[in-house]
């Protein structure tokens, strides 16, 4: 962004950014793109999980989210337990000091209000609560923009998520499911908007052109071990997912199809390696995607996509490529339904390779129809997201002769 000046708006971005998850970083990229186009005067920095990666890629200053460096490693020794405990106290001060330096803080997308994957309450949910509480106390608006939410059964996690949402000055969601989940948790969502995922605001790649790699199928895999309530069964869930996905990839290769294995997080790489070893075919290769832009290019050049991670699905759908979801959470079903492909979902917990192959072949038979449908849905998604970001700008960045952004009354509507 620009150098700070008298009228420069100080914007903070917050989240597990730069930590190896392509979807999270893609959401940040979309928000930064909007800020650079609509508010070039804004001065932006981040409080995030991977500050070095964020600074290197996005060219903004960044600070580490947690004082204790081993926050997301299991603490088994007394020293590690003490370090984590001390870190929780230090982070109260660190977070408040960081929030105080800004006129507004944005949490860009991500599933920050859900626990569809394993999550401890005193990790990120606690960090988000500190952020939103600091914003309320210091009168710095915190905006949760296009976030994901879902029902949470763990009581401490649910309480932290509920209070984070209540304390935020602005909330919008990437689907109706998320807004309904927060309403069920006791949050007043009457003024909360729903719009497409922020990744739909990223620059479009060329439409799917399968002639570039005829017959190619992208298969997006994931280190899937169930959700927050499945820790006792995580190993079995992972084994069944890996076995079913491997058998599906092998069937495609035996049919002579080229297969490109996609990931969405650093944690997924061992799954790719395991499938490559098990199938052992020159037709099966791994894509080296480092961003959602890379995933968009891969999926746009494929005949079809079968994917597990949410933002693998978003990229494939945005690219206009016929897509089948290996769905691990209701958010995937909601996304597919919104794009008109609700009938092409398959449960990631119970991958049946024969049934999956049937669904895949049915999808390919409707390829031309699906591509036309996705073209229409993508135009509508882009329009809705553009309208929301324009409205968000009006709320977060009022005209210079209005009240200061940090104290804008319209941003303090949440109870």
């Amino acid at each position: 962004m620009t150098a700070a000046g008298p009228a420069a708006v100080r914007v903070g971005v917050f989240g597990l950014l730069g930590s190896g998850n392509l979807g999270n970083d893609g959401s940040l990229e979309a928000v930064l793109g909007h800020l650079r186009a609509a508010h070039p005067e804004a001065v932006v920095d981040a409080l995030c999980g991977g500050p070095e990666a964020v600074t290197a890629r996005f060219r903004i200053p960044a600070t580490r989210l947690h004082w204790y460096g081993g926050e997301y490693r299991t603490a088994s020794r007394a020293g590690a337990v003490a370090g984590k405990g001390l870190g929780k106290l230090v982070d109260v001060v660190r977070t408040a000091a960081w929030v105080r330096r800004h006129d507004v803080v944005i949490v860009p997308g991500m599933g920050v209000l859900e626990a569809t994957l394993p999550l401890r309450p005193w990790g990120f949910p606690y960090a988000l609560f500190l952020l939103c509480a600091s914003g309320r106390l210091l009168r710095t608006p915190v905006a949760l923009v296009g976030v994901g939410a879902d029902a949470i059964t763990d009581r401490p996690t649910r309480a932290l998520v509920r209070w984070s949402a209540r304390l935020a000055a602005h909330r919008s969601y990437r689907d109706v499911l998320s807004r309904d989940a927060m309403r069920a948790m006791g949050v007043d969502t009457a003024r909360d908007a729903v719009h497409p995922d922020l990744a739909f605001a990223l620059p479009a790649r060329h439409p799917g052109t399968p002639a570039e790699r005829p017959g190619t199928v992208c298969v997006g895999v994931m280190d899937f071990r169930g959700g927050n309530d499945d820790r006792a069964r995580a190993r079995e869930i992972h084994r069944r997912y890996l076995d079913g996905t491997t058998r599906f990839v092998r069937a495609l290769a035996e049919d002579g199809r080229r297969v490109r294995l996609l990931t969405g997080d650093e944690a997924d790489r061992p799954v790719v390696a395991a499938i490559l070893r098990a199938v052992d075919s020159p037709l099966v290769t791994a894509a080296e995607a480092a961003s959602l832009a890379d995933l968009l290019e891969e999926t746009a050049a494929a005949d079809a996509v079968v994917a597990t991670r949410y933002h693998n699905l978003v990229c494939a759908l945005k690219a206009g490529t016929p897509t089948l979801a290996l769905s691990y959470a209701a958010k995937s079903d909601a996304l597919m339904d919104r794009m008109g492909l609700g009938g092409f979902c398959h449960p990631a917990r119970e991958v049946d390779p024969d049934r999956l192959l049937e669904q895949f072949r049915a999808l390919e038979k409707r390829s031309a129809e699906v591509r036309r449908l996705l073209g229409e849905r993508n135009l509508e998604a882009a329009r809705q997201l553009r309208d929301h970001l324009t409205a968000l700008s009006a709320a977060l960045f009022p005209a210079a002769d209005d009240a200061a952004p940090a104290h804008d009354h319209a941003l303090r509507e949440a109870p």
Side-chain angles (χ1 to χ4, degrees):
M1 301 295 177
T2 62
V9 179
R10 301 163 299 174
V11 181
V13 291
F14 175 95
L16 290 178
L17 309 164
S19 301
N21 184 283
L22 303 187
N24 291 359
D25 290 356
S27 298
L28 172 60
E29 181 181 355
V31 166
L32 290 179
H34 172 71
L35 290 175
R36 285 168 174 153
H39 306 283
E41 78 287 354
V43 178
V44 183
D45 72 295
L47 185 63
C48 59
E52 297 85 2
V54 166
T55 296
R57 179 177 172 192
F58 298 109
R59 305 187 309 281
I60 61 173
T63 303
R64 186 169 297 281
L65 181 59
H66 301 287
W67 175 80
Y68 180 64
E71 177 60 41
Y72 293 104
R73 295 193 295 269
T74 301
S76 56
R77 296 183 179 180
V81 173
K84 277 196 172 186
L86 177 60
K88 302 305 175 193
L89 299 177
V90 174
D91 284 343
V92 173
V93 178
R94 290 178 71 252
T95 303
W98 182 80
V99 169
R100 184 188 292 274
R101 299 199 299 268
H102 298 87
D103 297 307
V104 62
V105 173
I106 296 174
V107 181
M110 307 177 284
V112 298
L113 303 178
E114 65 181 51
T116 53
L117 297 175
L119 183 71
R120 299 294 189 188
W122 305 115
F124 186 77
Y126 175 73
L128 183 65
F129 170 75
L130 290 183
L131 175 81
C132 295
S134 297
R136 177 59 67 93
L137 289 171
L138 298 171
R139 296 175 62 81
T140 298
V142 173
L144 308 180
V145 182
V147 298
D150 205 346
I152 299 174
T153 57
D154 179 72
R155 294 181 65 181
T157 304
R158 185 172 66 247
L160 289 168
V161 163
R162 179 173 61 246
W163 276 106
S164 295
R166 285 176 170 174
L167 293 169
H170 168 92
R171 296 179 299 266
S172 65
Y173 308 98
R174 62 190 179 191
D175 50 43
V176 173
L177 169 79
S178 297
R179 185 172 63 184
D180 289 347
M182 295 314 300
R183 181 184 297 120
M185 280 192 267
V187 177
D188 181 3
T189 62
R191 300 178 66 180
D192 296 358
V194 173
H195 55 78
D197 188 87
L198 289 172
F200 282 99
L202 293 173
R205 290 302 187 265
H206 61 283
T209 53
E212 294 179 11
R213 287 199 300 264
T216 298
V217 180
C218 285
V219 178
V221 300
M222 178 179 178
D223 183 31
F224 179 59
R225 300 173 186 273
N228 215 37
D229 300 327
D230 298 315
R231 294 178 184 273
R233 301 182 291 123
R235 181 175 297 181
E236 174 60 18
I237 289 172
H238 180 69
R239 185 195 65 77
R240 294 170 69 174
Y241 169 79
L242 180 58
D243 178 67
T245 306
T246 299
R247 290 170 60 191
F248 174 68
V249 170
R250 182 182 292 114
L252 291 176
E254 289 174 350
D255 280 349
R257 304 297 294 268
R258 294 180 179 88
V259 178
R260 293 282 283 174
L261 299 177
L262 308 179
T263 61
D265 194 288
E266 292 290 337
D268 303 333
R269 293 185 180 275
V271 178
V272 169
I275 293 174
L276 290 174
R277 285 194 305 269
V279 177
D280 191 23
S281 167
L283 293 175
V284 182
T285 57
E288 295 295 330
S291 66
L292 289 194
D294 292 342
L295 287 176
L296 278 166
E297 288 191 2
E298 289 284 347
T299 56
D303 278 5
V305 176
V306 178
T308 310
R309 278 201 180 271
Y310 183 81
H311 279 97
N312 277 196
L313 293 173
V314 169
C315 287
L317 295 166
K318 180 175 171 60
T321 304
T323 302
L324 197 159
L326 277 174
S327 177
Y328 71 90
K331 62 184 178 183
S332 300
D333 297 335
L335 172 64
M336 294 292 286
D337 188 60
R338 181 172 196 155
M339 299 302 285
L341 297 180
F344 292 101
C345 296
H346 189 98
R349 294 170 179 272
E350 303 284 347
V351 179
D352 179 340
D354 295 329
R355 172 60 182 149
L356 183 58
L357 198 58
E358 288 179 11
Q359 288 180 284
F360 174 76
R361 288 170 176 159
L363 176 68
E364 287 212 304
K365 287 180 180 179
R366 297 176 55 189
S367 178
E369 173 193 348
V370 168
R371 287 178 183 274
R372 286 194 297 271
L373 173 64
L374 291 178
E376 296 168 0
R377 297 298 172 97
N378 275 310
L379 287 175
E380 179 62 15
R383 183 194 64 77
Q384 291 176 357
L385 196 50
R386 185 170 58 251
D387 289 349
H388 178 74
L389 290 176
T390 299
L392 182 68
S393 285
L396 296 182
F397 303 94
D401 57 348
D402 289 341
H407 305 122
D408 184 65
H409 177 73
L411 290 172
R412 290 184 280 111
E413 66 203 33

